[in-house]
């Protein structure tokens, strides 16, 4: 039996899978079980910013696994203390408290709970086309009626509203005395690679402050150098009350976190927790991963290679292209047709890319991708669109 047949016997059936088994990676390259090589512009859907097979992270994981993999937040731990020191250095000074968890959705869950506890309000305002995960709480903030229909629709999430993205005038009407949190991505990833307008973000911060609501930034996809700075909030010059991070934080080991400011106040003891949150293994991986991001200067690589990719894609002159958008190495092409055939065409030409809504081809390569590989991605895209 093939790998695919063995998986198909037991898979949940929830995923739309491509008929490829990816078995190995190195930098921005991955190989399938037949030995075919691909430039990986899926990048673990944003969890592989550092590239595949990073030796420093692999060593840190192996060392910590031999020393102490499991210990919960019932106790203190040297690796966790080290990670807090690292985070204090790279995060805005105001965001000086952190809850560690295991995924993006779990970070958003935490953020929504903290906002409700801090404000004693229940309302959540999010944006159309926003994506914040698919667990019950996070799904309230996620746009996409298609994700809720099977659950009975919006009635499940009373008190949640979605406003149009990048429409500052919609903020005043939506964020009111019952609003606990306004939840925002600085670049909508799943929703089609749409950067937020700085004026929209500034106005969101102002309205939240005026109305006593908390501003929650979801940087699960934009964080860790993806958009050309360690966090996209640096590009926008904004500090939220609560920040959600995950995906690339620990070099491929599952981890997420919620960082929050003193505006959140004291959270009731035991009102939230996670067995694996802050495990020594994940903390060791994150310390090593963040160290490598800095050593390799992934932020400027994302800026340079992102510019190369966007310029190349903008120069394609295909009648199928409606718009090329992005920030750093979070890039997308919106087509005048369904993106599926182009994504398949790229795969046939040795480039794995992602969708972002029905008509957008999204590129999320590891940030270690080199100029020659980016040139090949552009050429493959030109070919696939022709
Ligand atoms: C991927 C993503 C999530 C969900 O993360 P999971 O780890 O899949 O739960 C949340 N928010 C954003 C912006 C994301 O891109």
């Amino acid at each position: 039996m093939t790998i695919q047949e063995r998986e198909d016997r037991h898979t949940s059936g929830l995923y739309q899978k491509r008929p490829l088994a990816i078995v190995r990676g190195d930098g921005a390259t991955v190989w399938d079980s037949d030995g075919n090589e691909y430039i990986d512009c899926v990048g673990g859907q944003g969890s592989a910013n550092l590239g595949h097979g990073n030796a420093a992270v692999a060593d840190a994981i192996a060392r910590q696994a031999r020393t102490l993999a499991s210990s919960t937040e019932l106790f203190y731990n040297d690796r966790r203390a080290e990670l807090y020191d690292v985070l204090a250095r790279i995060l805005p000074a105001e965001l000086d408290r952190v809850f560690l968890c295991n995924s993006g959705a779990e970070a958003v869950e935490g953020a929504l709970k903290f906002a409700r506890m801090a404000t004693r309000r229940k309302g959540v305002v999010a944006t159309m086309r926003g994506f914040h995960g698919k667990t019950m709480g996070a799904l309230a903030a996620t746009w996409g009626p298609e994700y809720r229909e099977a659950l009975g629709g919006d009635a499940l999430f009373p008190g949640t509203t979605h406003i149009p993205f990048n429409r500052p005038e919609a903020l005043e009407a939506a964020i009111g005395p019952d609003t606990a949190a306004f939840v925002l991505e600085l670049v909508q990833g799943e929703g089609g690679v749409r950067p937020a307008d700085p004026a929209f973000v500034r106005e969101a911060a102002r309205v939240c402050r005026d109305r006593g609501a908390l501003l929650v930034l979801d940087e699960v996809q934009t964080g860790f150098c993806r958009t050309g700075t360690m966090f996209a909030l640096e590009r926008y010059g904004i500090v939220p009350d609560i920040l959600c991070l995950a995906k690339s934080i620990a070099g491929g080991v599952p981890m997420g976190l919620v960082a929050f400011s003193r505006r959140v106040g004291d959270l009731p003891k035991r009102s939230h927790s996670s067995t694996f949150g802050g495990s020594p293994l994940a903390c060791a991986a994150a310390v090593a991963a963040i160290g490598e991001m800095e050593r390799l200067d992934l932020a400027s690589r994302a800026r340079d290679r992102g510019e190369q990719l966007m310029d190349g894609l903008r120069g394609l002159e295909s009648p199928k292209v409606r718009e090329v958008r992005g920030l750093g190495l979070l890039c997308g092409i919106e087509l005048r047709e369904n993106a599926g055939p182009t994504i398949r065409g790229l795969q046939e030409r040795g480039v794995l890319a992602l969708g972002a809504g029905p008509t957008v081809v999204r590129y999320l390569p590891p940030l270690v991708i080199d100029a020659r590989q980016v040139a090949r991605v552009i050429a493959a895209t030109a070919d696939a669109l022709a």
Side-chain angles (χ1 to χ4, degrees):
M1 256 194 298
T2 65
I3 294 169
Q4 188 179 332
E5 284 162 350
R6 280 156 59 208
E7 277 206 42
D8 280 343
R9 286 172 71 183
H10 301 291
T11 179
S12 61
L14 291 166
Y15 295 92
Q16 192 104 51
K17 281 160 136 31
R18 304 184 197 175
L20 281 188
I22 301 298
V23 295
R24 190 163 66 84
D26 181 18
T29 307
V30 291
W31 286 267
D32 70 15
S33 52
D34 296 325
N36 298 308
E37 184 179 314
Y38 301 88
I39 300 177
D40 180 19
C41 293
V42 171
Q45 302 191 207
S47 62
N49 288 8
L50 193 51
H52 302 288
N54 179 282
V57 173
D59 289 348
I61 293 170
R63 212 177 314 117
Q64 191 60 38
R66 272 188 241 103
T67 307
L68 180 72
S70 305
S71 177
T72 71
E73 294 235 23
L74 193 55
F75 303 102
Y76 294 85
N77 174 261
D78 50 354
R79 288 290 87 75
R80 195 183 305 125
E82 194 180 359
L83 176 59
Y84 286 152
D85 288 343
V86 170
L87 291 171
R89 186 163 51 71
I90 63 174
L91 284 169
E94 294 90 332
L95 301 177
D96 65 350
R97 284 186 296 162
V98 177
F99 171 75
L100 298 169
C101 55
N102 310 285
S103 71
E106 202 186 340
V108 173
E109 295 283 336
L112 296 178
K113 282 181 68 175
F114 299 171
R116 281 180 65 150
M117 292 191 275
T119 59
R120 297 175 196 277
R121 299 172 178 186
K122 294 194 171 149
V124 172
V125 178
T127 60
M128 291 173 184
R129 294 206 182 93
F131 185 86
H132 305 287
K134 293 185 192 167
T135 56
M136 288 290 276
L139 185 57
T142 291
W143 173 248
E146 71 273 20
Y147 300 140
R148 312 143 189 270
E149 260 157 31
L151 293 167
D154 279 319
L156 267 176
F157 308 109
T160 305
T161 53
H162 291 86
I163 62 168
F165 187 64
N166 278 344
R167 293 269 188 77
E169 63 278 12
L171 291 159
E172 286 265 8
I175 299 171
D178 299 325
T179 307
F182 176 57
V183 186
L184 179 68
E185 291 163 276
L186 290 174
V187 183
Q188 290 188 327
E190 283 302 308
V193 190
R194 295 167 204 278
D197 294 338
F200 179 66
V201 178
R202 272 196 306 275
E203 178 67 357
R206 185 193 67 78
V207 174
C208 283
R209 211 178 319 107
D210 281 4
R211 303 284 157 84
L214 299 180
L215 177 63
V216 177
L217 287 186
D218 179 348
E219 287 227 41
V220 168
Q221 187 161 148
T222 53
F224 298 104
C225 305
R226 171 60 57 188
T227 68
T229 45
M230 183 56 84
F231 304 109
L233 55 79
E234 295 161 47
R235 299 200 72 146
Y236 284 85
I238 185 120
V239 178
D241 302 300
I242 302 181
L243 176 69
C244 298
L245 299 171
K247 289 205 164 113
S248 278
I249 180 171
V253 173
M255 187 179 224
L257 70 76
V258 189
F260 51 101
S261 75
R262 297 283 153 173
R263 262 193 94 191
V264 172
D266 290 324
L267 296 167
K269 286 251 182 279
R270 293 156 52 91
S271 60
H272 200 60
S273 63
S274 163
T275 298
F276 278 121
S279 87
L281 189 70
C283 290
V287 167
I290 294 166
E292 285 291 278
M293 290 174 203
E294 292 179 315
R295 186 182 70 81
L296 298 166
D297 195 6
L298 290 193
S300 34
R301 287 198 192 202
R303 275 198 300 275
D304 295 347
R305 296 286 75 78
E307 202 171 299
Q308 182 193 354
L309 181 56
M310 298 260 278
D311 285 351
L313 296 175
R314 287 202 170 110
L316 288 181
E317 288 176 18
S318 162
K320 292 182 184 171
V321 175
R322 188 189 296 279
E323 193 183 18
V324 174
R325 294 187 291 262
L327 196 65
L329 256 177
L330 174 45
C331 307
I333 315 182
E334 177 158 2
L335 301 179
R336 293 198 161 82
E337 59 178 34
N338 191 286
T342 303
I343 292 171
R344 276 192 296 280
L346 281 167
Q347 186 169 308
E348 285 157 16
R349 291 163 179 84
V351 174
L352 302 180
L354 263 177
T359 58
V360 176
V361 182
R362 178 172 35 154
Y363 302 84
L364 272 181
L367 307 178
V368 295
I369 191 169
D370 64 30
R372 205 179 36 92
Q373 289 172 311
V374 171
R376 276 170 58 200
V377 170
I378 295 163
T381 306
D383 234 31
L385 284 171

